[in-house]
Amino acid sequence: MTFLEGLLLGTVVVLAFRLYLHRRYLNRMLAWISGPLDAPVPDASGIWGEFVSRMNRRVKTRQHEKDLLEKSLEQFQSALEALPDGVIFMDAHRRILWMNTLAVNLMGLLPGQDKGTPIEHLVREPEFVSYLQTGDFTEPLMYHPHRRDQTCFMISLINYGADRQLLTIRDLTQLEKLETVRRDFVANVSHELKTPLTVISGFIETLQTHHETLPIEKRQRFLDMAMAQAQQMGRLVHDLLTLSSLEARASLVDEKNVHIKPLIDELIISAEALSAGGHDMTVEIPDNLVLRGSASALRSIFGNLINNAVNYTPSGGQIHIRWQETDSEGGFSVQDTGIGIPAVHLPRLSERFYRVDQGRSRDTGGTGLGLAIVKHALSRHQGHLSIESQVGTGSTFTAWFPTNRISRNGQ
Ligand code: ADP
């Protein structure tokens, strides 16, 4: 072998070895590229080392970008989860792409199963389907999914992007309930005012037309009756104002130490006038009892309970007023031997205008608001009302106050 041949052979061998190395690196690279994204980068040196490190940098940047994107998507989804409204993202055919948990719960959907299905196939109420089909979404839909109860949702549909739709669902059930309570209240007040007003205008009309011919005693009787109706209206307005001022504030503004015994003595004087000697009243209240609270609200609580005992206890009955204390509360009780209340009425007794016997309440000048006032005034003092009653035997109403409001004068 000549020198030249030897050199050539050596070069061929070196080149073949290099080719073999390149091929090995190439195979490793191919295996790495086709493997999972997070597979470790293969070892390499020379030009392949440089290649691998650049590739590695590129992959890491991509991975970082992907992580950032995933993180912001997660943040976006958790913001959508935190929304107080149900949210459903849909494509142009209203197929569900994504929805938050509130939407799932409100619309009764199945998160795993319902994605990809058009919403009309899942919520088939005609009211809802025809809203979607109108194509006019300038106004939201007030949707009542179950006709039997008061559930009410406000549905809005918003087009966004080239061919995407967003459905939002707001639960208005509580607001609707409040609105019903408000409507009932206005209807009740109007009804309560209408009766005495009709009577008063009837008397005025009679007096206007027959003022010359009407005997003086009859005229006097009409005026007395008109006066009684005007007083009933006055009581109603007074109770309404008391109730609304109690409802307007969550806490008491005129809080002070109130001496209870003199307050009760005062109330007993007016209760005796109301009873006109028809009841035997006994009082057992400690002379030095002091309650921290609003004097006017406490007067309303005790006055209403005492007057009710007089009004709903036939003449000859007994009324016992006393103070009692437990470890955590103090209670002002009014016990009567009156007509009593059937158990079925007890839970609703402190609702506004709720009466067991409409006629009897009106005859005694009742407004139907007394116990509602008691309940509200007590809750402003963190207290509560308890009622025990038996038809024909009598009732005991107790206004309970927390111990931190109770003290003794001079202690
Ligand atoms: P009212 O102005 O009609 O007395 P309240 O809110 O004070 O209104 O009381 C509601 C209803 O509770 C009354 O109409 C009456 O039917 C019943 N009630 C209240 N107190 C008594 C009582 N001591 N004995 C029997 N029934 C009572």
Side-chain angles (χ1 to χ4, degrees), residues 67-226:
D67 287 350
L68 280 181
L69 207 68
E70 267 173 15
K71 209 167 176 177
S72 48
L73 194 68
E74 257 170 40
Q75 277 174 353
F76 183 61
Q77 287 194 351
S78 55
L80 287 172
E81 280 294 352
L83 280 180
D85 292 348
V87 176
I88 302 179
F89 290 91
M90 302 177 298
D91 66 11
H93 303 287
R94 286 198 276 273
R95 284 183 294 230
I96 298 177
L97 301 172
W98 188 87
M99 53 197 162
N100 66 1
T101 313
L102 190 57
V104 168
N105 295 338
L106 292 177
M107 301 304 265
L109 300 170
L110 299 168
Q113 207 169 305
D114 291 343
K115 274 190 194 147
T117 311
I119 185 110
E120 294 99 309
H121 294 187
L122 302 165
V123 182
R124 291 171 176 274
E125 289 288 327
E127 200 186 351
F128 178 75
V129 175
S130 61
Y131 173 70
L132 294 185
Q133 285 167 355
T134 54
D136 176 10
F137 307 118
T138 39
E139 292 292 323
L141 166 74
M142 291 301 165
Y143 171 51
H144 300 86
H146 330 288
R147 262 162 237 142
R148 285 176 306 279
D149 63 25
Q150 276 186 303
T151 309
C152 173
F153 299 155
M154 184 172 81
I155 305 274
S156 306
L157 201 137
I158 303 148
N159 289 308
Y160 74 99
D163 55 357
R164 292 281 192 263
Q165 294 187 319
L166 172 68
L167 191 86
T168 63
I169 309 126
R170 178 166 294 180
D171 189 352
L172 296 184
T173 311
Q174 263 335 88
L175 277 178
E176 277 270 302
K177 278 190 186 151
L178 281 178
E179 181 56 18
T180 311
V181 169
R182 194 194 62 80
R183 265 199 303 265
D184 289 353
F185 181 65
V186 172
N188 274 324
V189 172
S190 317
H191 178 75
E192 294 290 330
L193 285 171
K194 211 174 115 199
T195 316
L197 253 180
T198 314
V199 176
I200 292 171
S201 37
F203 286 145
I204 294 175
E205 220 175 280
T206 314
L207 289 172
Q208 272 176 337
T209 0
H210 306 289
H211 68 283
E212 277 164 8
T213 52
L214 215 61
I216 184 104
E217 318 80 63
K218 214 167 184 179
R219 202 183 304 172
Q220 190 54 47
R221 202 152 49 87
F222 278 5
L223 284 172
D224 289 347
M225 285 157 95

Side-chain angles (χ1 to χ4, degrees), residues 209-258:
T209 0
H210 306 289
H211 68 283
E212 277 164 8
T213 52
L214 215 61
I216 184 104
E217 318 80 63
K218 214 167 184 179
R219 202 183 304 172
Q220 190 54 47
R221 202 152 49 87
F222 278 5
L223 284 172
D224 289 347
M225 285 157 95
M227 187 60 175
Q229 295 300 327
Q231 282 166 344
Q232 171 68 6
M233 285 170 73
R235 275 192 295 275
L236 186 66
V237 171
H238 173 268
D239 280 1
L240 283 171
L241 288 174
T242 308
L243 199 58
S244 93
S245 78
L246 282 168
E247 281 177 338
R249 288 184 292 268
S251 58
L252 296 166
V253 279
D254 52 348
E255 209 173 286
K256 60 177 187 176
N257 285 331
V258 184

